[in-house]
């Protein structure tokens, strides 16, 4: 296993281009199971998670080729309907093959993904939606088995205790596109990645309206064709780069950004006193002063993203004042708190809240990454800290940030890998 070493204190400067969105590409790859025709997906990030999804598609009978950001899922029947534990357990998003397998083959057997360090992560909403479309569900030996003679459209309220669910909306939408009649998903997730999946399905011949809003309407069709699609830019990578500029008091031009996807983050950063300017798909961030502390509450889109909570906490550690960070999606997503405190931060956790007392500066320390976004948080903290930070279990970062070390090195960061 590798660890990442960062010699902190360098003000990052230059240009960086954001890669395709991880959370859009995974369900879009799963959607290729809905057709036997070839599909071409462009702007696909070279990530551990993308590779996990290629493996799952191959195990289900597809021929997948990946070259320089372009994936071709070749004509080949979706022949197998079982997604095995050893593949699904590596990545929770694999569970979104359930909807397309059921839609196409009218049967699916998919391993339950289990929990992870950020929380329990149930799948009740996925199953509720699939059942409403007429599938029979059986859970046995850690697998969900779903089958139906024929799926039919239905009215489905998909809101849960923590609001809408991204992958449940994806799964139900992918099953419903080949169901008979009209489906309405109410309290659907509005995340741009869900809307991107809908755009791809529409190119395949699906009839979908309202994607990107809480009410999605789907009129089932008999079959879907192959299609070509370009993945939207990754808003979480873009947001992480914005914070890299601010936390190092650097000056970065971030290219390939969809500004309106970053609304909640930018609003908070402006409240904190940051200066950001946007033109022609690029965001210019110049950090030249200590920011004010701001309070943050994570919520489903268009609220502040839970996937930016850890990185924002790193920034709040070095602001002037006290910030209260409330996690409303995953109340236990605070594994990074103890690691930031090892770097000198003053953070106290109280249930779903973290109270961050800003200090002048962090100091480098050996720390451990617990999940993808916690790794990004520790990288940001390491970039800002005095001295050397070594982050072990850095493989988490490779799940969601394409060429991240090279991108940081190009911006002047002193970053390298060492064997643990
Ligand atoms: C997706 C993202 C992940 C992000 C999360 C929340 C992908 C591949 N991953 O994960 O990066 O952190 O959205 O924005 O897109 N829930 C239930 N029952 C369910 C499903 C979810 O109670 O059946 C709860 C979850 O435990 C959580 C909340 O709903 O509290 C939102 O989770 P959800 O949107 O489903 O997350 P994912 O789609 O798994």
């Amino acid at each position: 296993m590798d660890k990442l070493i960062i010699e902190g204190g360098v003000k990052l400067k230059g240009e960086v281009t954001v890669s395709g969105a991880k959370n859009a590409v995974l369900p879009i790859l799963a959607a290729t199971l809905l057709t036997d025709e070839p599909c071409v997906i462009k702007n696909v990030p070279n990530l551990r998670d993308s590779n996990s999804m290629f493996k799952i598609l191959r195990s289900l009978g597809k021929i997948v080729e990946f070259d320089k950001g372009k994936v071709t899922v070749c004509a080949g029947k979706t022949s197998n309907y079982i997604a095995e534990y050893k593949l699904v357990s590596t990545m929770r998003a694999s569970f979104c093959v359930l909807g397309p397998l059921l839609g196409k083959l009218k049967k699916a057997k998919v391993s339950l993904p289990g929990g992870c360090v950020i929380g329990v992560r149930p799948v009740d909403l996925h199953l509720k939606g699939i059942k409403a479309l007429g599938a029979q569900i059986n859970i046995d030996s850690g697998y969900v088995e779903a089958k139906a003679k024929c799926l039919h459209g239905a009215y489905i309220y998909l809101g849960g205790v923590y609001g809408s669910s991204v992958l449940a909306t994806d799964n139900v939408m992918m099953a419903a596109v080949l169901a008979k009649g009209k489906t309405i998903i109410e309290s659907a997730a509005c995340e741009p990645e869900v809307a991107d999946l809908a755009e791809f399905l529409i190119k395949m011949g699906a009839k979908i309206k309202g994607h990107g809003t809480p009410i999605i309407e789907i009129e089932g069709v008999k079959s879907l064709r192959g299609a070509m699609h370009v993945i939207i830019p990754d808003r979480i990578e873009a947001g992480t780069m914005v914070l890299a500029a601010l936390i190092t008091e650097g000056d970065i031009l971030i290219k390939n950004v969809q500004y309106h996807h970053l609304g909640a983050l930018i609003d908070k950063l402006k409240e904190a006193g940051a200066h950001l300017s946007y033109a022609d798909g690029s965001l210019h961030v110049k950090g030249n002063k200590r920011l004010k502390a701001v309070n943050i509450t994570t919520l489903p889109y268009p609220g502040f993203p839970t996937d930016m909570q850890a990185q924002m906490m790193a920034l709040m550690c070095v602001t002037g004042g006290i910030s209260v960070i409330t996690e409303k999606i995953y109340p236990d997503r605070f594994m990074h708190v103890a690691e930031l405190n090892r770097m000198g931060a003053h953070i106290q956790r109280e249930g779903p809240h973290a109270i961050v007392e800003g200090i002048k500066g962090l100091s480098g320390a050996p720390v451990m990454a617990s999940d993808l976004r916690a790794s990004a948080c520790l990288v940001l903290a390491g970039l800002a800290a005095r001295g050397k930070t070594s982050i072990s279990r850095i493989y988490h970062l490779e799940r969601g940030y394409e060429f991240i070390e090279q991108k940081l090195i190009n911006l002047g960061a002193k970053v390298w890998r060492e064997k643990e």
Side-chain angles (χ1 to χ4, degrees):
M1 261 194 289
D2 286 350
K3 59 183 176 180
L4 194 72
I5 317 290
I6 304 176
E7 185 77 52
V10 177
K11 292 177 193 264
L12 300 192
K13 279 198 174 61
E15 292 181 3
V16 64
T17 302
V18 173
S19 302
K22 169 182 92 71
N23 288 354
V25 85
L26 301 176
I28 284 174
L29 285 169
T32 64
L33 291 165
L34 285 161
T35 180
D36 292 336
E37 293 185 15
C39 293
V40 176
I41 319 292
K42 294 183 177 171
N43 200 29
V44 174
N46 188 356
L47 300 170
R48 192 184 280 256
D49 277 11
S50 311
N51 280 292
S52 301
M53 189 53 93
F54 302 160
K55 279 189 196 151
I56 289 178
L57 292 182
R58 288 181 187 126
S59 79
L60 296 170
K62 292 291 186 191
I63 301 159
V64 183
E65 282 162 17
F66 181 47
D67 185 36
K68 297 189 193 92
K70 182 171 121 180
V71 172
T72 311
V73 182
C74 293
K77 272 199 176 347
T78 306
S79 52
N80 181 12
Y81 67 98
I82 303 173
E84 288 185 25
Y85 176 71
K86 71 172 191 294
L87 294 174
V88 177
S89 60
T90 59
M91 178 183 72
R92 194 185 153 78
S94 325
F95 197 65
C96 70
V97 298
L98 178 67
L101 281 178
L102 184 65
K104 183 76 167 62
L105 303 175
K106 305 294 174 270
K107 59 181 177 181
K109 183 173 172 183
V110 181
S111 168
L112 282 161
C116 65
V117 289
I118 69 171
V120 182
R121 305 188 79 178
V123 292
D124 55 315
L125 296 172
H126 299 242
L127 303 187
K128 177 184 173 184
I130 299 279
K131 255 189 208 160
L133 295 172
Q136 280 179 344
I137 307 261
N138 184 30
I139 297 180
D140 190 26
S141 309
Y143 280 80
V144 173
E145 287 184 64
K147 59 180 180 193
K149 277 216 174 77
C150 156
L151 294 174
H152 53 76
Y155 167 84
I156 306 165
Y157 180 80
L158 213 53
V161 184
Y162 299 101
S164 55
S165 160
V166 172
L167 288 174
T169 305
D170 290 345
N171 249 334
V172 176
M173 189 161 64
M174 287 191 278
V177 285
L178 290 180
K180 222 176 188 174
K182 188 177 193 163
T183 297
I184 295 180
I185 308 175
E186 191 151 343
S187 198
C190 304
E191 271 70 1
E193 295 78 15
V194 177
D196 205 33
L197 167 64
E199 290 296 338
F200 177 59
L201 292 169
I202 290 167
K203 287 177 188 167
M204 295 174 84
K207 291 191 177 153
I208 305 175
K209 286 196 290 195
H211 46 295
T213 81
I215 302 177
I216 300 180
E217 273 185 46
I218 302 155
E219 192 65 56
V221 295
K222 284 229 164 83
S223 65
L224 294 176
R225 54 181 175 264
M228 197 284 281
H229 189 70
V230 183
I231 300 291
I232 54 168
D234 195 304
R235 63 195 165 100
I236 306 301
E237 187 198 343
T240 305
M241 286 299 176
V242 170
L243 298 191
L246 294 173
I247 205 165
T248 63
E249 298 191 355
D251 186 347
I252 307 183
L253 185 71
I254 306 164
K255 293 178 161 178
N256 195 26
V257 175
Q258 296 214 1
Y259 189 78
H260 61 283
H261 291 171
L262 293 170
L265 173 71
I266 288 173
D267 186 61
K268 277 291 160 192
L269 293 174
K270 284 189 171 164
E271 188 186 329
H275 289 290
L276 304 117
S277 56
Y278 182 78
D280 304 327
S282 295
L283 189 58
H284 181 205
V285 191
K286 200 166 176 196
N288 52 7
K289 61 173 185 196
R290 195 161 177 226
L291 297 176
K292 276 195 315 219
V294 288
N295 295 335
I296 292 141
T297 301
T298 65
L299 289 169
Y301 189 86
F304 192 94
T306 175
D307 284 353
M308 284 301 302
Q309 181 256 107
Q311 302 91 309
M312 192 68 171
M313 192 181 293
L315 179 69
M316 288 300 112
C317 286
V318 291
T319 52
I322 292 175
S323 161
V324 179
I325 298 181
T326 305
E327 178 52 70
K328 286 220 171 163
I329 311 282
Y330 299 111
D332 288 323
R333 192 176 204 176
F334 285 118
M335 304 297 283
H336 42 285
V337 167
E339 303 305 301
L340 288 171
N341 281 344
R342 300 197 73 251
M343 298 177 73
H346 289 180
I347 311 168
Q348 200 183 321
R349 162 126 189 240
E350 288 192 10
H353 310 286
I355 298 148
V356 187
E357 193 187 322
I359 52 167
K360 275 254 161 61
L362 296 163
S363 55
V367 288
M368 193 179 286
S370 55
D371 67 81
L372 168 57
R373 305 304 169 188
S375 319
C377 148
L378 296 175
V379 169
L380 292 177
L383 289 169
R386 278 187 319 277
K388 206 188 260 184
T389 296
S390 71
I391 309 172
S392 47
R393 302 201 179 166
I394 200 62
Y395 57 85
H396 288 293
L397 201 63
E398 293 156 11
R399 287 194 38 224
Y401 290 90
E402 188 184 39
F403 310 135
I404 186 70
E405 282 151 76
Q406 199 48 53
K407 286 182 180 183
L408 291 172
I409 289 167
N410 292 348
L411 293 168
K414 291 188 185 153
V415 178
W416 67 95
R417 262 172 202 254
E418 283 178 9
K419 288 266 167 261
E420 296 247 32

